[in-house]
Amino acid sequence: MSVKGKTSSQKKNISLATIFSILFMGLGHILLGFQAKKMKSQSPKAAKKNALELYHILFFKGIIFIFIEIFALINFNSIAKAIYGLVTLGTVTGEKIMKNNDHSIFLMAEGLIIFLVVLVILAIYLYSVLDVYKINKRLATDQYFIDIDYSLKGVINDMFPYFVLSPVALMIIFFVFFPLLFSCLLAFTNYSMPYHMPPKNLVDWVGIQNFIDMFSLPNWKEAFVGVFTWNVIWAFIATFLNFFVGLLIALMLYDKDIKFTKGFRTIYILPYAIPQMINLLVWKNLLNGQFGPINLSLKAMGIIENSIPFLSDPMMAKVSVILVNLWIGAPYFMLLLTGILTSIPKNLYEAAEIDGASGLQKFRKITLPMVMFATAPLLVMTFSFNFNNFGAVYFLTGGGPDNVYPPGSGAGATDLLVTWIFELMNGMQKYHMAAVLSLLVFTIIAPFAIYNFTKTKSFKEGEY
Amino acid sequence: MLKKRLKQLVIYTILIGIALIVLYPIAWTIGSSFNQGSSLQSTGINPIPDQFSLNQYRKLFTETDYLHWYKNTLKIAVINMIFSVAITSLSAYVFSRYGFKGKKISMISMLVLQIIPSFTGMVAMYIIIWKMGLLDTHLGLIIIYVAGQIPYNTWLVKGYLDTIPRELDAAAKVDGAGNFTTFFKIILPIARPIIVFLAIATFTAPWMDYIFPQLVLKSQKNWTLAIGLFEMIDGEADNAFSQFAAGCTLVAIPFTIFFMLSQKFMTEALGAGAVKS
Amino acid sequence: MKLRKVLAMFLVLIMSMSLLAACASDEEKGDTSEEVKTESNETTDKEEAEAPEGLQPEDGAELLVWESEGPEGDFMERAIEEFNKIYPDVTINYEPVGHTDAKGKLALDGPAGVGADVFAAPHDHLGELVESGLIIPNTEFNANYAETFVPAAVTAVTYKGETYGYPVSIETYALFYNKDIVDEPVKTWDELKEFAKEYNNPSENKFALMFEAANAYYDYMFLGGYGSKLFGESGEDREQLGFDNENGVEAMKFLHSIRTDIMDIAAADISYDVMMQGFNSGQFPYMINGPWAIQDCKDAGTNFGIVELPVLPNGEHPESFSGVRGLYVSSYTEYPNAAMLFANFCADLEMTKERFEITHQIPVRTDYQVEDEFIAGVMAQAKYAKPMPAIPEMGSYWTVMGSVYTNIWEGAEPEAELEAAKEAMLAMYE
C-alpha cells in the first residue's frame, strides 16, 4: 500500500476502490467515477471530454451494481430459504390441507432457479471487481486520459458481444439449461407415481439407487440394452438410407437426358412440405396389417397371400418405421443434394470425358467426393436429429409392438430412448427413471459431440 | 442410341414408380377428407370415396374451434420466426466475428445442450412458465420455442457466416460502419439463403409440435392445430379420422403451394444449411 | 448510441430481476393464499356444524370444470346453465380434458392454480388421486349415499372408508350383436367358436367377433371368469395378484384360443376405429364394447342388440370390469363450497336424467331406473361385473398386464408370462 512517488496518493485511492468493490459491488465504480471527475480538471483540454464520459460510464455502472447487490441482500432470506428447500426437498408433510404441505418438486425447482440466479449475481460481482481492478490499473498508468480511449463508443465496442449475448444467455440458462439440469437432478430422487408424488408425500434424494436399479433389475436392464441398441442402429440406417435414396433421386433428376424434372421434383417435395405428424398418422392407417389398404391392395392384386404384419411383428415394425421415415426424409436430401450437384463445376466432367472416363468413374471420382465433402457435417447433424426422432416412432407405432421386453419397463420393440422417456413421464409418471434415461443418453452422446466439435475448422481457428 | 433409350426407360420407370409411392398416401388422405362417415377405415383401396361429401369440412368449421386453432398456430409460428431469426442471426454474427472471453466454452455448452431432447425438462419448464405467470398464454409457448432453438440454429448460422470473407466487414468497419450497421448492411444480405432457411425452419416447427402446447396451453380457445387435430383421433372413443384428414388437408395445402413456388429458393436455402461448419 | 446501450443493459437487468422477483413474490402470494384458505376452511367447519344443507358458495366463486369432450362435455355445459339458474353469481367454465387424463394433468396444474376445481375421473384412479393428495373428501353430501346410489357406485367413490366422489354413471362392457346377421345371440364362447368356423373369411375381413384383444380393461374378464380375483375379493390387497396360479394360466390359454379360433388378427392391427367400422358395416356380427358406443351404432343405423357376455367353457360368466365415473373436487380449489355444491348438483336426480338423455351412460341413482333395451343388455352383464380395484397399484396392473395380454395374444407361454408379470408388478411397488 505504501507506494512512493508522485502518484502514490492516487494509487492508494484506486486500490481502495478495488477493496470497496469487494466489500460492496458498485462502490468501487462510484469512487473511481469521482476520481475521474477530479482528474478531469487536471487533464489537458483534449482529454476533458474523455474524462467526463468515463465519469458517466463509471457512475452508471456503479449504480446498477449497487442496485443488484441491494436487491440480493433484501432477498437474502428467501434465497437462503430456497437453497434450504433444494437441499431438503421439503419437511412439512401430513397436513390435511394439501397447500400447507411442502411440495418437493416446486421446492426443488425454486431452489434451483434461485441457485442459478445467485450464480449469475456472483458472476456479475466477480466481473465488477475485475472491472474496477482493470480500470484502476489503467488510470494509474494514464492519468491524463490521452493514450487510452475511454469514450462511450469505445466501451460499447468492447462490450458489444456481451450486450448481444447476455439476453440470449439468460434465455438459454432459464429455458434450456435449467430444465435439463432439473431433470438431471430428478434422476437422483424417487419422484414417481403413486407413493412419491407431492403434495401428499415428500420426494427424497435417493443417491444413485435409480442407476443401480436400471442396470441390475432384469426388466429395466434388458429394456435399456435393447432400446439403446436399436436406437443406434436406427439412427445410422435412417440417416444413410435417406441420404443415398435422396442422392439417387437427385442424380436421376440431374441426368441431362431426363425431361419433366421440375414436375417430378415438385411431386417428390410433397412429403417434406406436409407436416410430419400428419404423414405419420396417415401411414399408420395405411399400414394396418389386417385392414390397411396396402395389404388389401397387395392381396387384391395377388402379390401376397397372407397379410404382411407391418406394425405387429417386432422386426417388420422396425423395417416399417425405417421405410416410412425414408418416405418422409428423402425429399429433404433430394433438395439439398440437387443444390450441391448444381454447384459442381461442369468443366470437371468435361475434363474427365476427354480422359475417357465412364459414367460410373465420373460418379465415383468427381460427384461422390464433392457431395460427401459438402454434406459430411450435415450428416452428423442429421444423425443426432434421428437419434432423437420422437415423431417418427411415436406417431407411427407408439413404440409398439410391446411384446419383446419384459413387462413393467414400458418399452416396446420400436421405442427409441426419447419415446420411452416420454412414455415413462406421461404414461407411467415414473419421472425418476425417465430422468435416469435422459442423463444416460447425455453421457453417452456428449463426448462424441464434443470430440466432433473439436475437429471442426472453427474450433481450431479459435478466437482471434 | 439404344443404350440411351434403355437408360431413359429405366429412369422414367423408377421416377414414375416413386411418384406413385409419394402420391398415394396423399391422395388417400385427401380422399378420406371428403368421406361422408367419420372413419378413415371406410376408405378402402381406392382413395376416392364412394360418396363425395363436404360433410367433414363443414363439421370442422361449425363443431370445432378449428379456425381459432389455425389463427393461434399462425400467430405463434410468425412471432417465433421473427424473434428466432433476429436473435439467432445476431448471436451467430457475434460468435462468428468477435473474440471475447468465454467464447469457446459457450459454444461447447450450446452444442452439448442440444443433445438431450428438450421435453425431458418438461416439468421444470412448466414450473418456470407458471412462475412467470405465462401458463395458458401463447407468449409462454413462444418463449419456449425461441429459447429452445437458439443453440442448434446459432451453430448452423455461425457455420455459414464463417464462410463469408472477413475482408468484407473489415472494410466496412474501416469506413466507419458500426457493429449493427455492418451486420445489417453487409452480413445479412450475403447470408440471405441461410436466413431464409432459418425462417422456414422456425416457422414450420410450431405447426406440428404437440408436446409443448399441451404443456403450456390449457383452454381450448388457446390450443394450436397440433393439439386440436391430435385430440380428434386420440380420445378414448374418438375416431373422427376423416375430420382429422380434412383438418390436415387444410394445413398441408398452403405449405405445399409455398414449397412448390419457392422450390428454387428452397434448394438454395437448404444448400446453405449444408455448408461446412 | 447511448440510448441503445442503456436499453441493452436494462434489458439484461430487468430480465434477471423479474425472474427473481417472480419467484420471491410468488412465495409471498403462496403464503397469503394459505392464510385465506385456512380461514375459509374454518368458516366451512362452522357452517357444517350448524346446517350442512345451507352450504353456500363463496362470494365471487369461479370454477373450472374438466370433463371429456363429446356428449359428456355437452352435458357439463347444460349442467352449468342449470346451476347458474340457482346460483347466478358463480362463474363456471368448462374445458375438455379426458376423464382418464385428469389425474396426470392435475398433478401440475392443481398447485399452479390453473387446474380444475371439479373434474371427472374413473374410479380406478381414486387410490392414486388420494395418495398423491389431489382431491378433498366429500364430507358435505355423503350422509344419504347408501340410499341414494346403488351399492357399486358408493363403493367405487369410497377409499379407505372415506367418501371422495360424486358418482354420476356406471359402465361395463357387454356383447353387441348385429341383428341383421344373427337372429339369436350366442350364449357361450363354444357356440361363438362354432359360429366363427362357418362365418370367418379372413380374405374378406369377415370375423365373427371383434374386441380390443390386447386391452387390459377387457381381458380381465377372462381372469375373473376363471376365478382369479385381482387384488383379492375386496380389490384392496395389493399382495394378492390373483392370477399367479392355475386359474390364471387357464384363463390365458383361453384368451389365446380366441385368437386361434375366432379372430386371427395381430393385436397391433386392432383398434377401436376398426372395430366400430366393421361392426356397423356388418363385417363383424359380434363385438365387445360398452354403453358409450350405443349412440354411434344408432347414428350409423345399425340394427343391433346388447346381451351379457357369453359363458366360458368352465360354465362361469366372464367377470367384466365395471367402472364408475365420478366427479371429484380438487384439493387446490379456492372455492371448495361452490365446487362441492356444483359436483353434488351434477349428481342429483334432475341432472342424472339430463345426463342420461345426453350421454346414454347408465345412471347410478336408486330413484331413477332407465327403461331402455340396450341399457338392459349392459345391466344384465353388470350382474357379473367386478368394480375395478381403486388402489394405487392399479397403475402397475395397466402397464404390466397390458403387455402381458399382448404377448399371450401373440402366442407367448402363459406360465412364463404370468410369472414375469408377477415379478414386474411386485417390483413396481418398490
Side-chain angles (χ1 to χ4, degrees), chain B residues 39-42 123 126 128 130-132 135 180 214-215 217-220 223 231 236-239 241, chain C residues 4 19 22 26 68-69 95-96 98-100 105 108-109 111-112 114 272-274 276-277 292 296 325:
Chain B
S39 169
L40 202 57
Q41 294 294 346
S42 53
V123 177
Y126 183 93
I128 207 165
W130 162 38
K131 293 285 178 187
M132 292 176 77
L135 276 183
F180 282 106
Q214 228 191 11
L215 189 73
L217 304 176
K218 300 295 162 193
S219 43
Q220 202 173 14
W223 280 3
E231 287 290 310
E236 295 131 58
D238 279 338
N239 54 343
F241 269 105
Chain C
R4 261 198 203 130
L19 268 167
D26 216 281
S68 311
E69 204 172 358
E95 286 299 340
H99 75 309
T100 47
K105 286 204 149 193
L108 285 176
D109 286 354
V114 292
Y272 187 85
D273 190 38
V274 163
M276 287 301 285
Q277 190 58 39
W292 51 85
D296 273 358
R325 185 190 283 247

Side-chain angles (χ1 to χ4, degrees), chain A residues 110 257 259 268 453 464, chain B residues 8 12 15 97 115 131 155:
Chain A
E110 277 161 27
D257 297 331
K259 292 193 178 62
Y268 296 164
F453 166 68
Y464 48 91
Chain B
Q8 273 180 321
Y12 275 127
L15 287 178
R97 288 299 193 268
I115 295 172
K131 293 285 178 187
W155 264 92

Side-chain angles (χ1 to χ4, degrees), chain C residues 180-330:
Chain C
D180 293 338
I181 305 170
V182 284
D183 301 328
E184 195 58 38
V186 292
K187 289 268 184 287
T188 67
W189 281 96
D190 289 334
E191 284 175 37
L192 187 55
K193 285 179 180 175
E194 281 305 310
F195 173 75
K197 267 184 202 151
E198 304 160 30
Y199 182 84
N200 279 9
N201 186 347
S203 62
E204 286 175 32
N205 276 331
K206 284 186 158 184
F207 295 95
L209 169 77
M210 187 58 60
F211 78 112
E212 290 178 69
N215 187 325
Y217 177 57
Y218 295 100
D219 288 340
Y220 174 75
M221 65 179 154
F222 305 114
L223 280 185
Y226 275 93
S228 301
K229 302 293 174 193
L230 182 63
F231 301 134
E233 276 301 335
S234 65
E236 287 187 359
D237 184 355
R238 70 177 200 170
E239 302 303 327
Q240 284 196 44
L241 299 179
F243 56 72
D244 49 340
N245 51 35
E246 207 43 47
N247 292 341
V249 175
E250 274 308 300
M252 290 303 98
K253 279 184 180 154
F254 181 73
L255 172 64
H256 187 70
S257 79
I258 297 177
R259 165 112 199 222
T260 48
D261 298 346
I262 304 178
M263 41 184 285
D264 189 11
I265 304 166
D269 295 333
I270 303 171
S271 68
Y272 187 85
D273 190 38
V274 163
M275 174 168 73
M276 287 301 285
Q277 190 58 39
F279 182 75
N280 285 331
S281 67
Q283 278 167 295
F284 322 132
Y286 293 99
M287 71 168 173
I288 297 175
N289 209 332
W292 51 85
I294 293 173
Q295 195 57 46
D296 273 358
C297 293
K298 278 184 182 169
D299 289 347
T302 313
N303 179 18
F304 71 108
I306 304 176
V307 289
E308 65 225 58
L309 293 166
V311 173
L312 293 164
N314 68 353
E316 296 291 327
H317 284 272
E319 190 181 76
S320 54
F321 263 154
S322 68
V324 171
R325 185 190 283 247
L327 296 176
Y328 296 88
V329 174
S330 158

